[in-house]
Amino acid sequence: PASRPSPGCPALVGPPHTLRAHGMAAAATDGGGEGAPAGQKRSSVEQGHEEAPGKHRLSEGEAEMLKEHGRVQLTLGAGSRPRYVTVVRLPGGALSAFDSVCFHAGGPLGLGDIEEVGDERRHCVRCPWHDYFIDLETGKKWHRALVLEEGSGNLVPGGWKSSSNSMQRIHSVEETPGNSILVQLRLEGACES
């Protein structure tokens, strides 16, 4: 099993062969470009464009990757403590940005499938390692508990429930009228990721 990243310093962790199997190389902590899907270079504030203090404007290449593949991996922040962030385009066209590393066990959340979960059909990313569903609006974890079925005594899936607190950090992302995409880290408040 993977070790958990140290607080405030998410890193892609796990056996290198596991990360390569998911299309990712092992991450470096210097923001040097590793940890991106195979064949892609990670973006960073140093390589991209800082629009305003704390806001990163996607470069043409990043925007093209998002357009073609529905997601782009970014490295935001400088020095030895970068944040690895994934930006995805959801069904219907909205954008979402979230920490690429799963809060639970450091899995490659940025590679997870986007699925609709619960009665409200919430857009969630599904962690490829442990099938955790993370709400892309709130950062809450969604799950279905097993309940005892009356009469048969069998355990069956119950209704959908979410965690009471945000577990995964969700960041601000906006598309401007000129089709620029801006990402701003949201680091305030307590959060597992």
Side-chain angles (χ1 to χ4, degrees):
S3 61
R4 186 177 173 110
S6 60
C9 184
L12 295 171
V13 294
H17 67 279
T18 303
L19 295 172
R20 278 193 288 280
H22 288 290
M24 299 184 90
T29 57
D30 65 357
E34 292 192 37
Q40 300 175 16
K41 184 162 179 64
R42 271 193 180 271
S43 167
S44 70
V45 170
E46 293 84 12
Q47 296 165 345
H49 309 284
E50 187 144 355
E51 184 73 15
K55 285 192 177 183
H56 172 81
R57 180 171 48 93
L58 268 61
S59 69
E60 288 180 31
E62 294 163 347
E64 187 64 26
M65 172 118 8
L66 179 62
K67 182 179 177 182
E68 287 182 24
H69 301 286
R71 74 181 67 206
V72 65
Q73 309 289 335
L74 306 172
T75 301
L76 302 179
S80 64
R81 298 177 71 130
R83 302 257 347 161
Y84 302 104
V85 175
T86 301
V87 179
V88 294
R89 187 161 305 273
L90 302 173
L95 293 170
S96 180
F98 57 94
D99 279 356
S100 301
V101 180
C102 184
F103 76 92
H104 171 241
L109 189 63
L111 297 177
D113 292 332
I114 307 300
E115 300 184 26
E116 293 180 340
V117 171
D119 296 333
E120 297 175 22
R121 314 288 296 164
R122 308 279 307 176
H123 287 111
C124 293
V125 60
R126 181 183 208 158
C127 182
W129 280 7
H130 298 109
D131 293 328
Y132 278 37
F133 289 98
I134 305 300
D135 191 308
L136 291 174
E137 185 179 331
T138 65
K140 293 180 177 183
K141 176 187 168 231
W142 282 88
H143 64 280
R144 289 179 81 177
L146 293 176
V147 295
L148 193 59
E149 185 177 54
E150 289 186 37
S152 74
N154 294 329
L155 288 175
V156 296
W160 285 96
K161 298 178 182 178
S162 72
S163 59
S164 57
N165 297 323
S166 178
M167 305 301 284
Q168 189 76 22
R169 203 164 291 280
I170 305 296
H171 302 289
S172 174
V173 60
E174 63 180 291
E175 195 162 10
T176 67
N179 291 327
S180 289
I181 297 173
L182 304 173
V183 179
Q184 184 167 15
L185 295 177
R186 287 186 181 162
L187 302 176
E188 67 280 350
C191 192
E192 294 287 324
S193 73

